[in-house]
Amino acid sequence: MPNRLLDVRGLETHFKTREGVVHAVNGVSFTLDEGGTMGLVGESACGKTVTMLSVLRLIPKPPGEVVAGSAVYWGQDLLKMTDEEIRNVRGAQISMIFQDPMTSFNPVLTIGRQVAEPLEIHLGMSHEQAYKRVAELLEMVGIPKAKDRINDYPHQFSGGMRQRAMIAMALACAPQILIADEPTTALDVTIQAQIIELVKRLRDELGMAVIWITHDLGIIAGLAQRVIVMYGGYFIEEAPVKELYGNPQHPYTIGLLGSLPRLNESGHQRLVSIDGSPPVLMEKPNSCPFAPRCNYAIERCWQENPVLETIAPDHRVACWVDSQTGRAR
């Protein structure tokens, strides 16, 4: 049995705005085992990134605040650590690849300086040792003539090369958990495939666990072992990747899968769209947050918000209706 690295329970994050309190994450729970890969999927603004930023204590306060929950990493609650303790975890034991490498890198510092910084801070390397390791890391992630690129600035790298440099920085201290926040969104499909294959290879070589945040279920299919679907600040379905794709249960998951083009379909297969708009998160719903957009909604969906319940081994769903039969569970 693999060791449990991370155990998040009842995580809840709010943002205070002039219009009111935004309930961005509403009591979500998940676990991550050593060497495992978890996909977190859902449309934009559903709370995926905020969930992981909350775990790493990177939510700006104000306006944001983690108001409830725990995030236990190797027996220690990240949410109760001192500022110094959590700084020793971030970058060294848990690293994050951010969505836009152009805005994540400091434009006035060289790539080498920025990748070397965690090596000097967390591992105590000298300047010379760090820069030697930086060249090895850049080479490992596939940057040509890595030694000659160390003193280049971010604007001198292409989008794909910047993302590779961001991965090198995230992997510098050999973390046990790598959080990838939609790292291929701004890249063309060829570079996307290269980045995904790179992360898979490094995951297998280094034995790290990966949390991949995306809105694209197609990416997750060949990458993750387990998938969590998020909607309106809630986890609404969780299952092993093959089970989720072969037997989706929540109407939202069915809609997401229906919107993916398939190469193995005979004839012209029309893509499915999900009608309506994402929910406003100013108030916690008393009903199912997906009910206004759901074709399966029954009276109970408007009266009570369902919780995740086990419907098959390792398969949980938050829905009052059996989507296969259209009947109440």
Side-chain angles (χ1 to χ4, degrees), residues 101-281:
M102 192 64 223
T103 57
S104 299
F105 279 115
N106 188 325
V108 300
L109 295 178
T110 64
I111 290 290
R113 174 69 250 147
Q114 296 181 68
V115 177
E117 186 176 34
L119 294 169
E120 295 173 1
I121 292 174
H122 295 298
L123 301 184
M125 287 187 180
S126 66
H127 180 83
E128 292 75 16
Q129 290 172 326
Y131 268 70
K132 183 179 179 182
R133 180 58 179 156
V134 168
E136 294 172 356
L137 287 165
L138 294 180
E139 194 172 306
M140 182 176 70
V141 298
I143 292 181
K145 300 180 181 178
K147 289 182 181 179
D148 299 331
R149 304 301 304 270
I150 286 178
N151 293 319
D152 286 354
Y153 289 87
H155 72 271
Q156 294 175 280
F157 279 58
S158 67
M161 290 296 105
R162 278 195 298 269
Q163 197 59 282
R164 288 172 184 269
M166 176 64 68
I167 293 171
M169 187 162 65
L171 298 179
C173 298
Q176 297 208 330
I177 300 175
L178 177 68
I179 301 172
D181 183 12
E182 302 202 43
T184 61
T185 298
L187 307 176
D188 63 64
V189 290
T190 304
I191 304 301
Q192 279 187 20
Q194 292 175 4
I195 295 296
I196 292 167
E197 286 303 314
L198 171 63
V199 171
K200 288 168 65 175
R201 176 173 62 81
L202 295 174
R203 174 196 65 188
D204 296 339
E205 289 177 2
L206 303 176
M208 64 186 176
V210 176
I211 300 174
W212 192 284
I213 303 170
T214 184
H215 60 271
D216 188 347
L217 275 164
I219 289 175
I220 291 297
L223 179 69
Q225 298 150 349
R226 186 163 54 100
V227 185
I228 297 176
V229 182
M230 193 170 191
Y231 183 82
Y234 293 91
F235 287 173
I236 58 170
E237 188 162 8
E238 178 183 5
V241 64
K242 289 184 179 179
E243 170 72 9
L244 187 91
Y245 283 73
N247 186 30
Q249 290 292 312
H250 198 282
Y252 178 63
T253 309
I254 294 171
L256 287 180
L257 289 170
S259 67
L260 290 176
R262 298 175 184 271
L263 296 176
N264 60 352
E265 293 287 352
S266 58
H268 297 285
Q269 187 73 19
R270 191 174 183 84
L271 298 180
V272 176
S273 62
I274 302 174
D275 296 332
S277 302
V280 177
L281 302 178

Side-chain angles (χ1 to χ4, degrees), residues 4-13 25-32 50-57 65-81 86 94 211 235:
R4 180 151 296 171
L5 279 180
L6 185 63
D7 189 351
V8 176
R9 295 290 160 195
L11 185 67
E12 196 166 337
T13 303
V25 178
N26 299 305
V28 302
S29 302
F30 67 91
T31 60
L32 182 67
V50 173
T51 297
M52 295 308 159
L53 292 177
S54 299
V55 169
L56 287 177
R57 300 255 300 275
E65 184 179 5
V66 178
V67 297
S70 63
V72 177
Y73 171 72
W74 282 135
Q76 290 185 297
D77 190 350
L78 299 173
L79 303 183
K80 293 181 179 178
M81 286 182 174
I86 192 67
I94 304 177
I211 300 174
F235 287 173

